[in-house]
């Protein structure tokens, strides 16, 4: 088994959210909120052909998250749930992902919308969002089946201490 995996950030995500409390908990609650992704210059060549995509998946390090619990009370529920059945930020490996709208690319800067990420978050990777690959036709959403629609109105309340 591998003991340690090390990643190097490829950029920084900028948003209007200077702290986690009060920010959207999912991109569905961040409609129209603008931000940028500042890719480090040495990775800019990798942006070639990305402008043809309307959405991208940002994979990032939840740098404000410390520690984790295997049972958490998620934002959309008052019941303890297994952390892997949630999108809670305090995880054994604090990795986040968001699907955001790509508006334009200027040099090494991506202009995005629908951002639910705190300012200064280290970016690990960018992948194009492709509905034919990413959208599943038949899905079950477990305990979230009756609560997911509330995510667009819910805001972070600091319950994870970050």
């Amino acid at each position: 088994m591998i003991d340690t995996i090390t990643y190097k950030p490829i950029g920084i995500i900028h948003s209007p959210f200077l702290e986690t409390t009060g920010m959207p908990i999912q991109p569905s609650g961040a409609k129209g909120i603008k931000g940028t992704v500042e890719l480090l210059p040495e990775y800019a060549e990798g942006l070639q052909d990305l402008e043809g995509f309307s959405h991208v998946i940002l994979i990032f390090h939840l740098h404000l998250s410390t520690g984790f619990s295997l049972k958490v009370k998620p934002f959309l529920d008052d019941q303890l749930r297994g952390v892997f059945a949630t999108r809670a930020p305090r995880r054994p490996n604090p990795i986040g992902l968001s699907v955001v709208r790509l508006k334009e690319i200027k040099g090494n800067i991506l202009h995005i919308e629908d951002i639910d990420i705190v300012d200064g978050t280290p970016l690990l990777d960018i992948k194009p969002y492709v509905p034919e690959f990413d959208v599943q036709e038949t899905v079950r959403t477990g305990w979230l089946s009756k609560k997911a629609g509330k995510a667009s109105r819910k805001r972070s309340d600091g319950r994870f201490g970050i």
Side-chain angles (χ1 to χ4, degrees):
M1 176 181 273
I2 299 172
D3 290 336
T4 304
I5 299 171
T6 304
Y7 290 101
K8 177 182 172 189
I10 63 168
I12 298 290
I13 301 167
H14 298 288
S15 80
F17 306 113
L18 302 180
E19 59 184 38
T20 57
T21 301
M23 64 183 272
I25 62 164
Q26 294 296 326
S28 64
K31 295 288 183 209
I33 297 175
K34 296 177 181 176
T36 59
V37 175
E38 180 183 353
L39 204 64
L40 294 174
E42 60 263 37
Y43 299 109
E45 186 178 341
L47 295 173
Q48 180 180 333
D49 303 317
L50 190 62
E51 73 278 350
F53 293 87
S54 66
H55 292 76
V56 293
I57 302 167
L58 301 179
I59 301 169
F60 48 92
H61 174 66
L62 297 163
H63 66 294
L64 299 178
S65 182
T66 57
F68 69 92
S69 297
L70 294 177
K71 298 269 185 127
V72 298
K73 201 176 287 186
F75 291 121
L76 294 173
D77 203 9
D78 290 325
Q79 186 175 339
L80 281 175
R81 305 282 181 180
V83 71
F84 302 124
T86 75
R87 293 188 174 198
R90 292 186 67 202
R91 316 180 69 75
N93 289 304
I95 297 170
L97 66 90
S98 285
V99 177
V100 298
R101 182 178 302 277
L102 177 62
K103 299 304 285 185
E104 69 177 323
I105 301 172
K106 289 185 177 179
N108 64 321
I109 307 293
L110 286 73
H111 294 266
I112 59 173
E113 281 188 10
D114 307 339
I115 186 169
D116 67 332
I117 305 166
V118 73
D119 188 60
T121 295
L123 177 70
L124 299 177
D125 202 1
I126 302 168
K127 297 184 183 290
Y129 176 81
V130 181
E132 291 83 0
F133 301 164
D134 299 317
V135 174
Q136 302 298 312
E137 292 182 26
T138 305
V139 299
R140 294 186 327 245
T141 58
W143 67 269
L144 273 166
S145 64
K146 293 185 171 91
K147 298 175 188 237
K150 297 177 183 177
S152 64
R153 298 180 305 280
K154 187 75 173 171
R155 296 293 180 257
S156 173
D157 57 14
R159 74 178 65 190
F160 294 104
I162 57 173

